[in-house]
Structures are given as C-alpha cells and as structure tokens.
C-alpha cells in the first residue's frame, strides 16, 4: 500500500472530497440565511435544469447527482416537507417523479444570488481558464467513476 501520508498527497478521491467539502461549506454559509444547504441547492438546481420534462424520476435524479437512492431520499425529505418540491406518481413502471414547486423555484431564485457570489469568489481565486479545465476534468472523473 505504501506510505498513507504520501498516498493522501496523490489520491484523487482524497483531494476531490476535501475540495468538495470546502466548497460546500462555503456555499452552506452563504445559503444559511435562507435556510438551504448546498446539497439541497444542488437538488433544486437539478430539478430546475430539466428542460425536457417538468419532473424527474428518482433513478434519473440519482444519476444526475451521482447519488444512491437512500442518500437521495434523505436529502429529498426536508425539501418535500417544506413544500419546495413535490412528488408525483408511485410504484410501477413510471415510478415516483419529483418536480420543483413554485415556492421551490422562488427560493432557488433567491439562493441563486448567494450561489453567484460564491461562484464568483471561487472562480476568481483560481482564474476563469483554470475553472473551465477543472470543470471539464470533474466531468471526465464522474464519467470514469460511474462506469
């Protein structure tokens, strides 16, 4: 296995998780005044970004967020209870589908201002060209990891 300290310095997963926690924490702080977490913001954003359909099935939402079903359900529960998203359908071939409610869309609009500030700060800290390369690399890592 080698030296664990040395592995931590080159481990892709270690670095990704550390960066994700730091960026998520920054967004959590920005979203706290409106009662939303970074994780909830990403779910609302994923639902809002669905151009081809006003709702997403649980399996598609899991794939979009690279999240397993139990984690998704835990994260959806507070959004459902606050009326920010709605659940339609049920068991069977089509299954449950989730959609953004009017209140969810309004809150996402408000959250967007906090997100823009964090996004601007993060991109400003690494530069626009580097941010583009990072996003492209993250997309490739996601694709490779999901195989």
């Amino acid at each position: 296995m080698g030296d664990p300290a040395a592995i931590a310095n080159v481990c892709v997963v270690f670095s990704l998780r550390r960066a994700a926690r730091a960026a998520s924490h920054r967004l959590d702080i920005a979203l706290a005044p409106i009662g939303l977490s970074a994780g909830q913001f990403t779910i609302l954003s994923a639902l809002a970004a669905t151009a081809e359909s006003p709702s997403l099935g649980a399996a598609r939402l899991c794939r979009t967020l690279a999240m397993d079903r139990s984690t998704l359900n835990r994260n959806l529960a507070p959004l459902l209870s606050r009326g920010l998203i709605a659940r339609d359908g049920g068991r069977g071939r089509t299954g449950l589908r989730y959609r953004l409610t009017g209140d969810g869309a309004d809150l996402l609009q408000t959250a967007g201002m906090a997100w823009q500030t964090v996004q601007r700060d993060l991109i400003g800290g690494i530069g626009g060209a580097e941010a583009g390369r990072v996003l492209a690399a993250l997309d490739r890592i996601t694709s490779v990891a999901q195989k």
Side-chain angles (χ1 to χ4, degrees):
M1 177 172 148
D3 177 23
I7 291 170
N9 290 328
V10 297
C11 179
V12 172
V13 174
F14 180 92
S15 293
L16 285 170
R17 290 179 63 84
R18 180 181 58 196
R21 282 190 299 271
S24 291
H25 180 68
R26 184 84 177 260
L27 187 54
D28 281 337
I29 291 169
L31 294 172
I34 60 169
L36 206 58
S37 72
Q40 293 168 336
F41 175 79
T42 60
I43 291 171
L44 295 176
S45 296
L47 290 170
T50 317
E52 74 279 359
S53 172
S55 65
L56 277 180
R60 172 100 184 270
L61 194 51
C62 285
R63 278 193 309 278
T64 299
L65 298 168
M67 190 179 284
D68 65 65
R69 183 124 357 179
S70 64
T71 303
L72 177 66
N73 288 336
R74 271 194 315 279
N75 285 283
L76 290 173
L79 299 172
L80 286 162
S81 69
R82 287 179 64 187
L84 302 175
I85 62 173
R87 179 174 47 209
D88 302 313
R91 295 183 179 220
R93 194 165 171 210
T94 57
L96 289 174
R97 299 188 64 78
Y98 298 92
R99 62 181 167 77
L100 202 57
T101 64
D103 287 346
D106 291 345
L107 188 62
L108 185 57
Q109 183 73 26
T110 301
M113 292 180 270
W115 170 81
Q116 285 177 338
T117 299
V118 172
Q119 182 81 349
R120 184 181 57 242
D121 291 348
L122 292 175
I123 290 173
I126 64 172
E130 185 65 17
R133 287 189 292 274
V134 168
L135 290 172
L138 290 171
D139 284 342
R140 289 190 308 273
I141 290 168
T142 301
S143 293
V144 168
Q146 287 182 326
K147 287 184 181 177

